[in-house]
């Protein structure tokens, strides 16, 4: 260690910005260290995506009906402690850190000097100066929080919501254990890739000794401004989502009510995450017309087949002059449509992922041995009850969807995402304290 | 296939934009199909990163001294053909497609109708409407183009530049074959992740039957505007790069001259790519002061140890009151400094990467079995001659750099990056035709 006088930190970079934090509506404690420039200009739904700030505290957690940011990092952790108090302490620490991070702060106050004392810094520092970037942090609870291997580790088994079911095995599932499941869930979304990962990394570090990373995954979404984004298959994705601008739709399909078995979940939601690898090389060689039959939509306009505009209604009854359905029987848009699923809807908030390439040896003709993209979709869907939402919808899709020729579900998880926290309280307080 | 009249494509989306293409200075052929909105507003170095356009044709290839965009996708391919004409045809097709893509176009003109005929579309369509996003595409030639397994497949063995050496094995190298090497190199950089990947994906597809993907890797760079970006270790990265604004520095250290053995490389460069995994979990637990000793810089300011400001000169001779060097002997900044390397400099243009997590079983105490980040640095460095650039610098670093405790080189490649192409010609024409 050098014994020279360390240079003083730049005040410009690390001024306390309590005023700005209050202005952003977050009930933060004192000592918020964050780039002044970011906080001073930060505002909700800023025209500048780097300066956008989303609230952390509230009736619902952010990151569910929040307009989708351009990047995400999702992660699941497994609890390694046997002590209920450790879990509560972790959730308190996560809540406080997430509140700071979402408002453009560091996970904890940085040391006063530039050259540190002999402690590890409370924040990795890689997001310094990047701005809040609309960061949201959303936490969820997996089945393992309530009971694991038949053991009620934290006295919570009786409070497990009936809606937090273990997902069934779906037709074609090829799940990889280390990309599946998890006791705790963190979803960070932001308009910058490093900001999203930075948040999860600090939170995972706060969990050392209490919970360990099970899987983590970066995702992205490149939307033409104000339009429905296209996924890596080149089709617009999310056209038929229920409108987040309609509270009655959100209350019906997304937000959990106050069920007798889990009153603490009121205002929360249930989230399903699936890692869906897509064989892009194979897909790219398909005829354009066939691709459109698979989706049931035109590729460039996004219109349902036979229609002109993206938001034209999907008419599942329409037939061509030979009496065949215009929207094919096994097309994705038909099978996933509300009308095919007893009126069920789920709120999809998915991201593409791109983990480079891997070398694969295929076990079927023509026995290719080649480098293939490890890319696809981090499917994320929120719903008031998976038993009427994702599960029946995906059971139908897994059996009949023509798209299955090009997709493989390799990761899967389900979480109860509790309601938002009040300032001074913490995420999940209702589960532990009422 | 439906026999209905397909809807006409939206003219708004796919008007030919020849005028705009000419304005952007690219000698494109006819039939450029691209979102009109993007091309009409596109301009070099636009204040709006989505609308920025970089030139494709020119004395040098773009993407080398181009101000660094926020995302990259780099890939290497292996040639599978034995015919020289196939290689030339591929380079011609790549040149034409890259010229279109960088100006905001699709890889080739899209079909006229929305519902296609029975052909696969010439472009995957996932970047439609996203704008040019400052896309650059840079091509390179690996040793395998000149000779492979002792075989001179294309009559080029005698034209291999002496500077295109096979990289030696460096101390600590843990190279994975399927992330190492490659006959051909594509680097796409853009201000949008999907736009960068889209470019490589179209180009890889054009290579079907001639060359096959060997490895691909996405990367990102999150810079506070106008400041040196921080890497995932939280330190500013690139402070000591030679200035791209100084042509004499670029001519000395980056651009290849007209050597007797490879006159066709004049105006090109030699590019080294290394995939460097960083054990972020371990790094995050290090004392801040120790992290600074490893780098030889202060973390928050970026100043050399003992100095106040990022761009203060690195004084390797300075000693503290006990006579010890202020910048530690084995610090990264000392070992990589020009003064420690016979005056050599290389132009680093690296990106972070983040491929989620993997489950590792460590083969050393304490024998951890855990999920760890698969994240780190896609190190990219350009130089006029690797024999005086990357190789001696990295030999020293690989032996002595304290940072090696936290980094593992798992991928490696070297390429001769030829000069830019003239409109009507193609990348590498000088190699094949003079």
């Amino acid at each position: 260690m050098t014994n020279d006088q360390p240079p003083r930190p730049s005040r410009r970079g690390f001024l306390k910005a309590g005023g700005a934090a209050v202005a952003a509506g977050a009930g933060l404690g004192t000592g918020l260290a964050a780039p002044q420039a970011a906080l001073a200009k930060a505002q909700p739904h800023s025209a500048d995506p780097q300066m956008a700030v989303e609230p952390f505290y509230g009736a619902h957690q952010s990151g569910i009906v929040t307009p989708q940011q351009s990047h995400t990092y999702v992660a699941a952790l497994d609890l390694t402690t046997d002590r209920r108090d450790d879990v509560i302490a972790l959730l308190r620490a996560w809540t406080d850190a997430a509140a700071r991070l979402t408002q453009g702060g560091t996970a904890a106050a940085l040391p006063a000097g530039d050259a540190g004392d002999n402690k590890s810094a409370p924040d990795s520092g890689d997001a310094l100066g990047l701005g809040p970037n609309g960061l949201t942090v959303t936490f969820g609870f997996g089945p393992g929080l309530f009971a694991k291997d038949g053991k009620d580790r934290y006295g919570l088994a009786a409070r497990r919501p009936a809606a937090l079911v273990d997902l069934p095995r779906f037709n074609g599932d090829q799940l990889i254990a280390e990309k599946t499941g998890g006791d705790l869930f963190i979803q960070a979304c932001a308009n910058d890739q490093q900001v999203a990962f930075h948040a999860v990394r600090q939170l995972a570090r706060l969990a050392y000794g209490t919970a360990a990373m099970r899987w983590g995954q970066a995702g992205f979404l490149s939307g033409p401004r104000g339009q429905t984004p296209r996924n890596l298959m080149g089709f617009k994705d999310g056209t038929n989502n229920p409108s987040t601008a309609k509270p009655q739709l959100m209350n019906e399909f997304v937000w959990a009510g106050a069920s007798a078995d889990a009153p603490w979940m009121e205002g929360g939601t249930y989230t399903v995450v699936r890692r869906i690898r897509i064989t892009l090389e194979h897909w790219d060689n398909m005829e354009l017309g066939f691709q459109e039959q698979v989706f049931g939509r035109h590729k460039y306009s996004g219109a349902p087949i036979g229609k002109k505009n993206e938001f034209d209604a999907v008419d599942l009854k329409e037939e061509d002059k030979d009496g065949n359905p215009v929207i094919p029987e096994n097309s994705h848009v038909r099978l996933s449509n509300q009308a095919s699923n007893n009126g069920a809807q789920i709120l999809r908030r998915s991201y593409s992922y791109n983990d480079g390439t891997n070398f694969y040896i295929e076990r079927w003709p023509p026995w290719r041995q080649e480098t293939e993209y490890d890319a696809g979709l981090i499917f994320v869907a929120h719903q008031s009850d998976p038993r009427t939402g994702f599960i029946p919808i995906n059971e139908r899709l897994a059996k009949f969807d023509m798209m299955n020729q090009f997709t493989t579900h390799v990761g899967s998880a389900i979480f109860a995402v509790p309601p938002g926290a009040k300032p001074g309280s913490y995420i999940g307080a209702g589960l532990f304290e009422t």
Side-chain angles (χ1 to χ4, degrees), chain A:
Chain A
M1 303 296 135
T2 171
N3 291 316
D4 287 0
Q5 277 293 327
R8 299 291 304 163
S10 159
R11 293 287 295 171
R12 240 180 332 147
F14 302 108
L15 277 179
K16 292 181 182 181
V22 170
L28 299 171
T30 54
L32 179 75
Q36 184 195 34
L39 274 177
K41 294 189 209 160
Q43 50 183 302
H45 306 297
S46 167
D48 180 348
Q50 189 170 324
M51 291 303 155
V53 174
E54 295 292 338
F56 178 75
Y57 294 104
H60 307 297
Q61 291 195 65
S62 293
I64 300 164
V65 297
T66 305
Q68 210 166 347
Q69 301 97 320
S70 61
H71 289 84
T72 195
Y73 194 93
V74 287
L77 295 90
D78 283 337
L79 285 157
T80 54
T81 183
D82 285 326
R83 300 183 58 243
R84 177 184 171 111
D85 285 350
D86 287 348
V87 182
I88 294 172
L90 175 60
L91 293 172
R92 281 193 181 280
W94 274 4
T95 301
D96 293 346
R100 294 173 58 93
L101 290 163
T102 55
Q103 307 308 303
T106 48
L110 295 172
D114 196 351
D117 41 18
N118 289 339
K119 292 198 301 184
S120 59
D123 187 290
S124 59
D126 55 297
L128 286 173
L130 295 183
N133 275 289
L135 175 69
T136 55
V137 178
T138 316
F139 297 102
F141 301 148
L145 174 65
F146 301 90
K148 197 156 198 175
D149 302 327
K151 196 174 162 193
D152 181 3
R153 293 182 289 177
Y154 315 114
L156 297 171
R159 314 205 76 192
R160 176 174 173 171
L164 184 66
V165 291
D166 294 306
L167 289 176
R169 186 187 180 284
F170 295 99
N171 190 48
D173 271 4
Q174 298 283 344
L175 303 185
I176 301 165
E178 60 257 37
K179 297 194 182 293
T180 295
D183 298 342
L184 299 171
F185 176 60
I186 308 173
Q187 172 195 267
C189 301
N191 295 320
D192 179 280
Q193 184 168 359
Q194 192 144 315
V195 167
F197 177 54
H198 172 263
V200 172
R201 179 174 165 192
Q202 312 315 309
L203 298 168
R205 191 171 158 219
L206 285 170
Y208 285 173
T210 302
M213 220 41 180
R214 184 173 176 89
W215 53 261
Q217 179 66 53
F220 64 100
L221 182 81
S222 295
R225 289 174 190 156
Q227 296 175 43
T228 311
R230 293 178 189 274
N231 60 27
L232 290 177
M233 299 177 102
F235 281 76
K236 297 186 179 187
D237 196 346
T239 302
N240 256 357
N241 250 343
S243 170
T244 56
K246 295 183 178 166
Q248 76 278 16
L249 281 181
M250 296 300 101
N251 286 333
E252 181 176 359
F253 293 115
V254 177
W255 302 124
S259 65
D261 65 311
W264 59 274
M265 272 295 290
E266 183 174 9
T269 190
Y270 294 89
T271 300
V272 171
V273 182
R274 307 277 287 183
R275 189 184 203 262
I276 306 175
R277 187 179 149 216
I278 305 174
T279 173
L280 298 175
E281 300 89 343
H282 187 31
W283 177 251
D284 283 347
N285 281 334
M286 293 298 110
E287 297 85 352
L288 178 59
F290 175 71
Q291 290 188 350
E292 297 188 334
Q293 300 281 305
V294 168
F295 269 86
R297 288 187 179 275
H298 293 296
K299 188 167 191 177
Y300 301 137
S301 65
I305 291 184
K307 296 287 198 298
K308 284 192 163 56
N309 301 307
E310 177 189 353
F311 291 100
D312 287 346
V314 175
D315 181 356
L316 299 178
K317 294 181 180 150
E318 198 180 356
E319 296 180 347
D320 66 16
K321 61 185 185 305
D322 300 321
N324 297 315
V326 170
I327 307 230
E329 289 292 353
N330 293 341
S331 65
H332 188 74
V333 77
R334 175 184 291 272
L335 293 167
S336 61
N337 192 270
Q338 186 177 18
S340 307
N341 290 283
N342 299 314
Q345 291 198 63
I346 57 180
L347 180 65
R348 287 163 292 142
R349 202 172 181 283
S350 303
Y351 286 88
S352 295
Y353 80 89
N354 194 336
D355 283 2
T357 55
N358 277 309
F359 184 77
Y360 291 96
I361 301 178
E362 291 187 350
R363 304 299 298 270
W364 54 87
W367 317 103
R368 283 180 296 205
Q369 301 191 20
E370 63 182 19
T371 295
E372 298 174 3
Y373 299 122
D374 186 1
L377 192 73
I378 300 296
F379 173 90
V380 178
H382 307 291
Q383 60 234 278
S384 52
D385 192 332
R387 295 170 296 181
T388 53
F390 175 78
I391 294 175
I393 295 173
N394 196 54
E395 277 181 338
R396 185 168 294 104
L397 289 170
K399 285 180 186 155
F400 303 117
D401 191 356
M402 282 195 282
M403 197 182 291
N404 297 337
Q405 296 174 58
F406 307 94
T407 59
T408 312
H409 291 232
V410 294
S412 177
I414 185 169
F415 303 101
V417 170
K422 292 188 178 65
S425 184
Y426 61 95
I427 296 288
L431 169 61
F432 290 91
E433 300 188 356
T434 56

PDB file of all heavy atoms in Angstrom, chain A residues 245-264:
ATOM      1  N   ALA A 245     -51.606   0.228 -19.810  1.00  0.00           N
ATOM      2  CA  ALA A 245     -52.282   1.511 -19.545  1.00  0.00           C
ATOM      3  C   ALA A 245     -53.699   1.295 -19.030  1.00  0.00           C
ATOM      4  O   ALA A 245     -54.380   2.254 -18.685  1.00  0.00           O
ATOM      5  CB  ALA A 245     -52.287   2.364 -20.817  1.00  0.00           C
ATOM      6  N   LYS A 246     -54.154   0.050 -19.007  1.00  0.00           N
ATOM      7  CA  LYS A 246     -55.527  -0.227 -18.563  1.00  0.00           C
ATOM      8  C   LYS A 246     -55.504  -0.943 -17.216  1.00  0.00           C
ATOM      9  O   LYS A 246     -55.316  -2.173 -17.160  1.00  0.00           O
ATOM     10  CB  LYS A 246     -56.254  -1.074 -19.614  1.00  0.00           C
ATOM     11  CG  LYS A 246     -56.437  -0.321 -20.934  1.00  0.00           C
ATOM     12  CD  LYS A 246     -57.224  -1.142 -21.947  1.00  0.00           C
ATOM     13  CE  LYS A 246     -57.433  -0.322 -23.233  1.00  0.00           C
ATOM     14  NZ  LYS A 246     -57.896  -1.152 -24.356  1.00  0.00           N
ATOM     15  N   PRO A 247     -55.706  -0.210 -16.122  1.00  0.00           N
ATOM     16  CA  PRO A 247     -55.606  -0.812 -14.779  1.00  0.00           C
ATOM     17  C   PRO A 247     -56.520  -2.020 -14.598  1.00  0.00           C
ATOM     18  O   PRO A 247     -56.148  -2.984 -13.923  1.00  0.00           O
ATOM     19  CB  PRO A 247     -56.010   0.333 -13.852  1.00  0.00           C
ATOM     20  CG  PRO A 247     -55.762   1.583 -14.633  1.00  0.00           C
ATOM     21  CD  PRO A 247     -55.998   1.228 -16.074  1.00  0.00           C
ATOM     22  N   GLN A 248     -57.686  -2.003 -15.230  1.00  0.00           N
ATOM     23  CA  GLN A 248     -58.581  -3.147 -15.007  1.00  0.00           C
ATOM     24  C   GLN A 248     -58.012  -4.418 -15.632  1.00  0.00           C
ATOM     25  O   GLN A 248     -58.173  -5.510 -15.094  1.00  0.00           O
ATOM     26  CB  GLN A 248     -60.011  -2.840 -15.494  1.00  0.00           C
ATOM     27  CG  GLN A 248     -60.242  -2.866 -16.997  1.00  0.00           C
ATOM     28  CD  GLN A 248     -59.821  -1.554 -17.675  1.00  0.00           C
ATOM     29  OE1 GLN A 248     -59.097  -0.727 -17.102  1.00  0.00           O
ATOM     30  NE2 GLN A 248     -60.264  -1.352 -18.908  1.00  0.00           N
ATOM     31  N   LEU A 249     -57.313  -4.269 -16.764  1.00  0.00           N
ATOM     32  CA  LEU A 249     -56.658  -5.445 -17.358  1.00  0.00           C
ATOM     33  C   LEU A 249     -55.515  -5.936 -16.465  1.00  0.00           C
ATOM     34  O   LEU A 249     -55.323  -7.138 -16.291  1.00  0.00           O
ATOM     35  CB  LEU A 249     -56.105  -5.105 -18.743  1.00  0.00           C
ATOM     36  CG  LEU A 249     -57.083  -5.059 -19.919  1.00  0.00           C
ATOM     37  CD1 LEU A 249     -56.333  -4.734 -21.209  1.00  0.00           C
ATOM     38  CD2 LEU A 249     -57.821  -6.395 -20.047  1.00  0.00           C
ATOM     39  N   MET A 250     -54.752  -4.987 -15.931  1.00  0.00           N
ATOM     40  CA  MET A 250     -53.633  -5.375 -15.058  1.00  0.00           C
ATOM     41  C   MET A 250     -54.176  -6.063 -13.799  1.00  0.00           C
ATOM     42  O   MET A 250     -53.616  -7.067 -13.340  1.00  0.00           O
ATOM     43  CB  MET A 250     -52.789  -4.149 -14.691  1.00  0.00           C
ATOM     44  CG  MET A 250     -52.088  -3.488 -15.875  1.00  0.00           C
ATOM     45  SD  MET A 250     -50.925  -4.593 -16.757  1.00  0.00           S
ATOM     46  CE  MET A 250     -51.926  -5.078 -18.182  1.00  0.00           C
ATOM     47  N   ASN A 251     -55.256  -5.525 -13.250  1.00  0.00           N
ATOM     48  CA  ASN A 251     -55.826  -6.135 -12.044  1.00  0.00           C
ATOM     49  C   ASN A 251     -56.367  -7.534 -12.336  1.00  0.00           C
ATOM     50  O   ASN A 251     -56.278  -8.432 -11.495  1.00  0.00           O
ATOM     51  CB  ASN A 251     -56.944  -5.250 -11.476  1.00  0.00           C
ATOM     52  CG  ASN A 251     -56.381  -4.006 -10.799  1.00  0.00           C
ATOM     53  OD1 ASN A 251     -55.246  -4.010 -10.320  1.00  0.00           O
ATOM     54  ND2 ASN A 251     -57.159  -2.938 -10.785  1.00  0.00           N
ATOM     55  N   GLU A 252     -56.904  -7.715 -13.524  1.00  0.00           N
ATOM     56  CA  GLU A 252     -57.470  -9.020 -13.843  1.00  0.00           C
ATOM     57  C   GLU A 252     -56.380 -10.041 -14.167  1.00  0.00           C
ATOM     58  O   GLU A 252     -56.432 -11.181 -13.695  1.00  0.00           O
ATOM     59  CB  GLU A 252     -58.429  -8.897 -15.040  1.00  0.00           C
ATOM     60  CG  GLU A 252     -59.089 -10.239 -15.415  1.00  0.00           C
ATOM     61  CD  GLU A 252     -60.114 -10.100 -16.536  1.00  0.00           C
ATOM     62  OE1 GLU A 252     -60.327  -8.965 -17.006  1.00  0.00           O
ATOM     63  OE2 GLU A 252     -60.669 -11.141 -16.932  1.00  0.00           O
ATOM     64  N   PHE A 253     -55.377  -9.633 -14.950  1.00  0.00           N
ATOM     65  CA  PHE A 253     -54.456 -10.627 -15.510  1.00  0.00           C
ATOM     66  C   PHE A 253     -53.063 -10.616 -14.887  1.00  0.00           C
ATOM     67  O   PHE A 253     -52.324 -11.584 -15.014  1.00  0.00           O
ATOM     68  CB  PHE A 253     -54.332 -10.432 -17.026  1.00  0.00           C
ATOM     69  CG  PHE A 253     -55.603 -10.734 -17.767  1.00  0.00           C
ATOM     70  CD1 PHE A 253     -56.286  -9.745 -18.455  1.00  0.00           C
ATOM     71  CD2 PHE A 253     -56.128 -12.024 -17.756  1.00  0.00           C
ATOM     72  CE1 PHE A 253     -57.464 -10.028 -19.137  1.00  0.00           C
ATOM     73  CE2 PHE A 253     -57.306 -12.325 -18.441  1.00  0.00           C
ATOM     74  CZ  PHE A 253     -57.983 -11.315 -19.122  1.00  0.00           C
ATOM     75  N   VAL A 254     -52.671  -9.514 -14.262  1.00  0.00           N
ATOM     76  CA  VAL A 254     -51.280  -9.408 -13.812  1.00  0.00           C
ATOM     77  C   VAL A 254     -51.150  -9.401 -12.288  1.00  0.00           C
ATOM     78  O   VAL A 254     -50.391 -10.173 -11.708  1.00  0.00           O
ATOM     79  CB  VAL A 254     -50.607  -8.149 -14.411  1.00  0.00           C
ATOM     80  CG1 VAL A 254     -49.185  -8.000 -13.873  1.00  0.00           C
ATOM     81  CG2 VAL A 254     -50.600  -8.235 -15.934  1.00  0.00           C
ATOM     82  N   TRP A 255     -51.882  -8.517 -11.631  1.00  0.00           N
ATOM     83  CA  TRP A 255     -51.700  -8.381 -10.184  1.00  0.00           C
ATOM     84  C   TRP A 255     -52.439  -9.465  -9.420  1.00  0.00           C
ATOM     85  O   TRP A 255     -53.595  -9.773  -9.701  1.00  0.00           O
ATOM     86  CB  TRP A 255     -52.174  -7.007  -9.703  1.00  0.00           C
ATOM     87  CG  TRP A 255     -51.457  -5.867 -10.381  1.00  0.00           C
ATOM     88  CD1 TRP A 255     -52.041  -4.840 -11.069  1.00  0.00           C
ATOM     89  CD2 TRP A 255     -50.041  -5.647 -10.444  1.00  0.00           C
ATOM     90  NE1 TRP A 255     -51.075  -3.991 -11.562  1.00  0.00           N
ATOM     91  CE2 TRP A 255     -49.843  -4.457 -11.196  1.00  0.00           C
ATOM     92  CE3 TRP A 255     -48.928  -6.327  -9.961  1.00  0.00           C
ATOM     93  CZ2 TRP A 255     -48.569  -3.946 -11.462  1.00  0.00           C
ATOM     94  CZ3 TRP A 255     -47.666  -5.815 -10.223  1.00  0.00           C
ATOM     95  CH2 TRP A 255     -47.491  -4.645 -10.959  1.00  0.00           C
ATOM     96  N   ALA A 256     -51.756 -10.055  -8.459  1.00  0.00           N
ATOM     97  CA  ALA A 256     -52.374 -11.052  -7.589  1.00  0.00           C
ATOM     98  C   ALA A 256     -53.337 -10.349  -6.635  1.00  0.00           C
ATOM     99  O   ALA A 256     -53.075  -9.232  -6.172  1.00  0.00           O
ATOM    100  CB  ALA A 256     -51.297 -11.792  -6.796  1.00  0.00           C
ATOM    101  N   GLY A 257     -54.435 -11.005  -6.346  1.00  0.00           N
ATOM    102  CA  GLY A 257     -55.373 -10.476  -5.366  1.00  0.00           C
ATOM    103  C   GLY A 257     -55.009 -10.971  -3.970  1.00  0.00           C
ATOM    104  O   GLY A 257     -53.973 -11.595  -3.752  1.00  0.00           O
ATOM    105  N   ALA A 258     -55.904 -10.668  -3.026  1.00  0.00           N
ATOM    106  CA  ALA A 258     -55.663 -11.080  -1.640  1.00  0.00           C
ATOM    107  C   ALA A 258     -56.283 -12.447  -1.415  1.00  0.00           C
ATOM    108  O   ALA A 258     -57.378 -12.556  -0.880  1.00  0.00           O
ATOM    109  CB  ALA A 258     -56.256 -10.057  -0.682  1.00  0.00           C
ATOM    110  N   SER A 259     -55.562 -13.480  -1.835  1.00  0.00           N
ATOM    111  CA  SER A 259     -56.105 -14.825  -1.651  1.00  0.00           C
ATOM    112  C   SER A 259     -56.015 -15.209  -0.172  1.00  0.00           C
ATOM    113  O   SER A 259     -55.185 -14.698   0.574  1.00  0.00           O
ATOM    114  CB  SER A 259     -55.307 -15.819  -2.500  1.00  0.00           C
ATOM    115  OG  SER A 259     -53.980 -15.899  -2.024  1.00  0.00           O
ATOM    116  N   ALA A 260     -56.885 -16.123   0.236  1.00  0.00           N
ATOM    117  CA  ALA A 260     -56.914 -16.540   1.649  1.00  0.00           C
ATOM    118  C   ALA A 260     -55.579 -17.171   2.057  1.00  0.00           C
ATOM    119  O   ALA A 260     -55.104 -16.976   3.173  1.00  0.00           O
ATOM    120  CB  ALA A 260     -58.052 -17.532   1.870  1.00  0.00           C
ATOM    121  N   ASP A 261     -54.964 -17.908   1.151  1.00  0.00           N
ATOM    122  CA  ASP A 261     -53.722 -18.602   1.514  1.00  0.00           C
ATOM    123  C   ASP A 261     -52.511 -17.687   1.484  1.00  0.00           C
ATOM    124  O   ASP A 261     -51.483 -18.002   2.086  1.00  0.00           O
ATOM    125  CB  ASP A 261     -53.488 -19.812   0.601  1.00  0.00           C
ATOM    126  CG  ASP A 261     -53.247 -19.386  -0.846  1.00  0.00           C
ATOM    127  OD1 ASP A 261     -54.046 -18.566  -1.362  1.00  0.00           O
ATOM    128  OD2 ASP A 261     -52.267 -19.836  -1.442  1.00  0.00           O
ATOM    129  N   ALA A 262     -52.581 -16.576   0.767  1.00  0.00           N
ATOM    130  CA  ALA A 262     -51.406 -15.706   0.652  1.00  0.00           C
ATOM    131  C   ALA A 262     -51.822 -14.241   0.561  1.00  0.00           C
ATOM    132  O   ALA A 262     -51.621 -13.587  -0.453  1.00  0.00           O
ATOM    133  CB  ALA A 262     -50.556 -16.102  -0.554  1.00  0.00           C
ATOM    134  N   PRO A 263     -52.416 -13.739   1.644  1.00  0.00           N
ATOM    135  CA  PRO A 263     -52.838 -12.320   1.609  1.00  0.00           C
ATOM    136  C   PRO A 263     -51.655 -11.381   1.386  1.00  0.00           C
ATOM    137  O   PRO A 263     -51.835 -10.287   0.852  1.00  0.00           O
ATOM    138  CB  PRO A 263     -53.467 -12.110   2.999  1.00  0.00           C
ATOM    139  CG  PRO A 263     -52.955 -13.232   3.850  1.00  0.00           C
ATOM    140  CD  PRO A 263     -52.706 -14.375   2.931  1.00  0.00           C
ATOM    141  N   TRP A 264     -50.458 -11.816   1.758  1.00  0.00           N
ATOM    142  CA  TRP A 264     -49.269 -10.968   1.598  1.00  0.00           C
ATOM    143  C   TRP A 264     -48.884 -10.755   0.143  1.00  0.00           C
ATOM    144  O   TRP A 264     -48.044  -9.903  -0.158  1.00  0.00           O
ATOM    145  CB  TRP A 264     -48.086 -11.578   2.362  1.00  0.00           C
ATOM    146  CG  TRP A 264     -47.724 -12.974   1.904  1.00  0.00           C
ATOM    147  CD1 TRP A 264     -48.268 -14.154   2.338  1.00  0.00           C
ATOM    148  CD2 TRP A 264     -46.772 -13.319   0.898  1.00  0.00           C
ATOM    149  NE1 TRP A 264     -47.710 -15.215   1.663  1.00  0.00           N
ATOM    150  CE2 TRP A 264     -46.783 -14.727   0.782  1.00  0.00           C
ATOM    151  CE3 TRP A 264     -45.907 -12.581   0.106  1.00  0.00           C
ATOM    152  CZ2 TRP A 264     -45.976 -15.412  -0.111  1.00  0.00           C
ATOM    153  CZ3 TRP A 264     -45.097 -13.256  -0.795  1.00  0.00           C
ATOM    154  CH2 TRP A 264     -45.138 -14.665  -0.897  1.00  0.00           C
TER     155      TRP A 264
END
